[in-house]
Amino acid sequence: MNPGEGEEPDDGALAARALAGHEDAYRLLMARHRVPVHRFVRAQVADADAALDIVQESFIAAFAHLGRYDRDRPFRHWLMRIALNKCRDHRRRQIVRGFFARARPLDEGLHVAGVEPGADAEIGGRQELRRARQAIDALPEKLRSVLLLRTVEGMSQAEVAALLGVSGKSVETRLYRARLKLSEMLGPTPTP
């Protein structure tokens, strides 16, 4: 598709131009999708710096594998799938790092600073947000991904199903289970 006067090229056309070596086309793709990808990754990863790194890794991987992109499918879904995989990789690395962090000699624990709640723990709204964030992070990957794609990204059930490679009914079931599990985990608000 050749864009007309004032008309923006679609993602498929930009991907083809980027594959042909036009850096401006890839920059435009990145500009179009940077915010939703960052929002999605930030919802998956609690650490803001790690989220930025994952977004960058996602775009680098997308550029490196742009030849695999199927122009008949939405570019955003393909890119979100890459970002989701990068988030999963990050979580796996965190688990491994956590294991090794706990494996340190006991005498090193004498030099650890006290764990005092920060000022934000004093503020009820932030405390509730943190509590909800922890509950979402504690959800199994399959439930968390569906919940975030549907609620944070506002994707339709069919879009989430296509992105994750599952049926629409699976998306519906996972979303129901995620919400039920969150209700159970969050329960009534704790009193200080």
Side-chain angles (χ1 to χ4, degrees), residues 84-134:
L84 178 62
N85 288 336
K86 295 295 178 187
C87 288
R88 288 175 177 160
D89 292 345
H90 172 76
R91 284 189 180 280
R92 283 187 210 109
R93 286 191 304 267
Q94 291 301 102
I95 290 168
V96 170
R97 285 183 188 132
F99 172 77
F100 285 112
R102 288 186 302 276
R104 293 178 179 240
L106 290 176
D107 61 336
E108 286 185 21
L110 299 174
H111 306 290
V112 175
V115 181
E116 303 292 325
D120 63 342
E122 307 282 328
I123 300 169
R126 287 188 182 174
Q127 191 173 23
E128 280 305 302
L129 183 60
R130 183 172 43 249
R131 189 169 166 257
R133 175 70 192 204
Q134 289 169 342

